[in-house]
Amino acid sequence: MEPAQPAPATSNISVRRGEPLVVVEHVEKHFGDLHVLNDINTVVNRGEVVVVIGPSGSGKSTLCRAINRLETIDSGTISIDGIALPSEGAALARLRADVGMVFQSFNLFAHKTVLENVTLAPIRVKKRSRKEADAKAMELLDRVGVANQAKKMPAQLSGGQQQRVAIARSLAMNPKLILLDEPTSALDPEMINEVLDVMIGLAKDGMTMIVVTHEMGFARKAADRVLFMADGKIVEEATPAEFFDNPQSDRAKDFLSKIL
Ligand code: ADP
Ligand code: MG
């Protein structure tokens, strides 16, 4: 384990697992008149699991998309591993390869097999041989418990299995960070735990993760930190125990009273 770092000024958390990996400073984003990200500042350290929660429309997905540069920002900076997010070109493609993204709706390629879904980017972007990519993909599919589905098409799998394939696909690029935006929200209740268990395994293995979720059990078990967003702002930043047991703001108290 890496030594603990002193807390940056933006957070009240004193124990840090590693070096800063994602640094978000003074990020602003508008959609027309809507101020969707309002002076967002946060640091995610290597090996940290950060859960982002907050009411619908508070800017959680936009923040994730900005970190992966699927969305531009108006001002401020986002850097990953010390490199500010470029706006385009090969440098952006490289940085994006370092950031895995898992969406609520799985977003698997419908006309490719499960195995091809996982090998496509390593072969195209990382120029891996098919043999090498297949071997790594099978290892990852095994890790998420769906190796026996490798030859099937996504539609033949349950939602929980598809989401686990999506996680394996993001891991195949050896990302420095994985963003998961409500990864279990589209799943039937009985499939939620199989996906959360995979995520808990990744957290234990030291994967850096930013997870938008309302799964409080997961947050309590796996998160180092909770960011509570409302109206485009980070309203609270605390450990899960602090946040759930003793929320500070009326917005957070109100939100928690509705979901707990
Ligand atoms: P959350 O993920 O917290 O529910 P989002 O980041 O998806 O919130 O959205 C924040 C606000 O921005 C919402 O009001 C949403 O309608 C709006 N919004 C998101 N994407 C766009 C877009 N591409 N164009 C215009 N408004 C958008
Ligand atoms: Mg969202």
Side-chain angles (χ1 to χ4, degrees):
M1 192 133 113
E2 288 161 287
Q5 300 287 309
T10 50
S11 163
N12 60 350
I13 309 296
S14 56
V15 180
R16 294 288 187 168
R17 265 195 246 175
E19 298 286 315
L21 180 63
V22 183
V23 178
V24 178
E25 288 178 307
H26 301 301
V27 165
E28 301 279 347
K29 170 79 182 176
H30 293 78
F31 286 120
D33 290 340
L34 186 68
H35 202 169
V36 61
L37 296 177
N38 185 346
D39 196 22
I40 298 291
N41 295 278
T42 194
V43 176
V44 179
N45 292 307
R46 218 177 277 283
E48 241 188 338
V49 177
V50 172
V51 161
V52 182
I53 71 172
S56 177
S58 55
K60 306 178 300 294
S61 293
T62 305
L63 178 60
C64 284
R65 293 169 61 79
I67 291 171
N68 201 18
R69 198 53 178 75
L70 293 169
E71 200 72 75
T72 57
I73 55 177
D74 300 340
S75 60
T77 57
I78 298 175
S79 65
I80 294 171
D81 217 0
I83 302 170
L85 276 188
S87 52
E88 56 193 15
L92 175 60
R94 261 198 309 280
L95 261 187
R96 220 179 242 159
D98 284 340
V99 182
M101 179 105 192
V102 174
F103 301 90
Q104 180 175 338
S105 49
F106 325 138
N107 292 18
L108 295 176
F109 306 114
H111 302 293
K112 305 243 176 238
T113 66
V114 163
L115 182 65
E116 287 163 350
N117 264 275
V118 181
T119 58
L120 192 71
I123 290 171
R124 285 210 189 146
V125 180
K126 296 224 160 171
K127 311 295 177 203
R128 300 270 185 271
S129 70
R130 172 159 306 277
K131 197 174 162 205
E132 196 186 353
D134 280 355
K136 167 98 187 206
M138 287 310 298
E139 190 187 306
L140 291 169
L141 289 171
D142 187 48
R143 181 170 171 190
V144 302
V146 290
N148 55 353
Q149 312 292 322
K151 296 212 170 75
K152 292 192 183 163
M153 303 305 281
Q156 296 174 276
L157 272 58
S158 72
Q161 289 172 326
Q162 288 188 53
Q163 194 58 304
R164 286 183 282 146
V165 173
I167 293 172
R169 181 176 64 176
S170 73
L171 292 171
M173 294 293 278
N174 282 325
K176 292 176 178 167
L177 163 77
I178 299 188
L179 302 164
L180 301 104
D181 189 358
E182 303 209 31
T184 61
S185 296
L187 298 177
D188 292 334
E190 74 272 19
M191 291 169 190
I192 290 176
N193 280 332
E194 67 193 46
V195 172
L196 293 179
D197 286 346
V198 166
M199 290 160 57
I200 289 167
L202 292 181
K204 286 197 179 128
D205 290 347
M207 175 58 73
T208 310
M209 297 196 277
I210 300 176
V211 187
V212 179
T213 185
H214 295 161
E215 291 293 334
M216 299 306 144
F218 170 81
R220 278 192 188 264
K221 204 181 285 181
D224 295 294
R225 191 150 45 103
V226 171
L227 299 186
F228 174 71
M229 288 184 72
D231 298 329
K233 293 189 202 122
I234 295 176
V235 176
E236 294 197 31
E237 182 170 10
T239 64
E242 282 167 352
F243 179 73
F244 294 119
D245 299 335
N246 193 17
Q248 300 296 304
S249 63
D250 288 343
R251 283 307 296 264
K253 285 176 197 165
D254 180 55
F255 177 75
L256 288 171
S257 76
K258 285 176 183 144
I259 63 160
L260 290 181

